[in-house]
Amino acid sequence: MAYGRFRALRGEPVRFRGAFASYDEALANVRVGLLAGYDHDSVAPVSQAFMQERAPWDYPVLYWLQRLAPDMQCMVDAGGHVGVKYRAFAPYLDLDRLQWVVYDLPALVRAGRAQQRPQDRTLSFVERLEEAPSADVLLASGLLPYLREPFEELVGRLSSRPRHILLNKVVTRDGPTVVTLENFGLAEVPYQMRNVDEVPAALQTLGYEILDEWTIDQLAHRIQTHPELGRCTYRGYVARLKG
């Protein structure tokens, strides 16, 4: 059980290292010589090609986007990177009638704007969520492990609450929330494994009811340096605003 911790102490690469009580504590423990966090131009290309593919765990989100499409004119894709899901889902959605607004960190917004193609007619980017137009759907696919602020505060910064929220790749555990550090090679990024009840409680506080949820067994893993904390479970949720 100590093998992952031993490898990390020797300086060998492990994907997840450390267990911290908060995002800021994890950020303060990034190894010397590495970039801290995601907001760097050199980090933006990491795993981009993979994220632009359609993985098996994308299909629940795609299913719900297709169901919601008739009543959807604008979607905010929070943590949408450089528009990776806009491109991945293009063959299955009528993007010409859907305003797709990506909100992300400045380095990723710069990269996204630089990569825009003529066919990306309905794709746009904002660095501040307050600048996003009123949306029918909030999509956050893979955002929550990296989200520094509470999810309720993120939603509160929108100009109005969307009718639906779609969350995917929410990392959960049966215990207190733990923040580890994910190894990006040239950077380490805080990565949150949330208590299993945290996100459903946040959705309820915001006035949403959960319509559907799923788990992604293929992505389950342990923190190599702290295997005693157990395996995490990746989850997805679809929620609708009550009333």
Side-chain angles (χ1 to χ4, degrees):
M1 290 184 62
Y3 181 61
R5 188 176 289 116
F6 175 70
R7 286 178 59 196
L9 288 172
R10 289 188 53 177
E12 296 180 26
V14 294
R15 184 181 173 193
F16 295 103
R17 178 186 68 83
F20 308 98
S22 70
Y23 187 107
D24 289 340
E25 183 185 353
L27 200 63
N29 280 275
V30 170
R31 287 176 291 171
V32 174
L34 295 181
L35 296 172
Y38 220 131
D39 193 15
H40 304 278
D41 293 328
S42 55
V43 177
V46 174
S47 300
Q48 179 181 331
F50 173 72
M51 287 188 284
Q52 288 183 171
E53 298 175 355
R54 288 180 301 280
W57 46 86
D58 287 321
Y59 282 91
V61 171
L62 187 54
Y63 165 80
W64 274 99
L65 288 178
Q66 288 176 326
R67 284 197 60 175
L68 299 174
D71 300 315
M72 186 167 53
Q73 296 180 328
C74 179
M75 182 175 71
V76 170
D77 182 3
H81 204 264
V82 297
V84 288
K85 295 311 174 191
Y86 181 90
R87 298 186 176 97
F89 295 167
Y92 298 95
L93 298 172
D94 183 4
L95 294 179
D96 284 337
R97 59 172 299 276
L98 174 62
Q99 186 180 7
W100 189 301
V101 182
V102 168
Y103 159 71
D104 216 311
L105 297 168
L108 294 165
V109 168
R110 286 193 296 271
R113 287 172 175 161
Q115 294 179 32
Q116 276 193 278
R117 312 162 300 175
Q119 59 265 44
D120 299 333
R121 290 180 294 274
T122 56
L123 176 65
S124 62
F125 295 86
V126 294
E127 293 183 15
R128 298 179 65 251
L129 199 53
E130 292 84 353
E131 297 171 356
S134 180
D136 305 294
V137 173
L138 171 66
L139 170 65
S141 182
L143 170 65
L144 266 65
Y146 305 104
L147 184 64
R148 189 171 192 166
E149 66 187 310
F151 180 64
E152 298 94 323
E153 291 185 13
L154 177 87
V155 176
R157 292 197 287 122
L158 290 164
S159 58
S160 62
R161 291 191 180 175
R163 179 65 173 160
H164 289 90
I165 293 177
L166 276 67
L167 306 176
N168 203 24
K169 294 189 289 182
V170 179
V171 187
T172 69
R173 63 184 302 267
D174 295 324
T177 295
V178 170
V179 186
T180 186
L181 284 165
E182 184 177 10
N183 181 5
F184 275 49
L186 70 170
E188 285 187 323
V189 181
Y191 192 87
Q192 298 183 69
M193 301 166 62
R194 299 170 186 269
N195 174 267
V196 66
D197 296 322
E198 183 175 324
V199 169
L203 289 169
Q204 183 176 9
T205 298
L206 289 165
Y208 288 82
E209 58 180 340
I210 294 175
L211 302 180
D212 193 12
E213 56 185 296
W214 55 89
T215 58
I216 308 168
D217 296 333
Q218 306 100 303
L219 296 180
H221 62 82
R222 297 174 186 264
I223 302 173
Q224 285 98 322
T225 58
H226 291 74
E228 70 278 3
L229 295 178
R231 292 172 69 84
C232 64
T233 302
Y234 283 66
R235 301 178 185 273
Y237 306 90
V238 177
R240 178 176 59 202
L241 192 61
K242 298 176 184 177

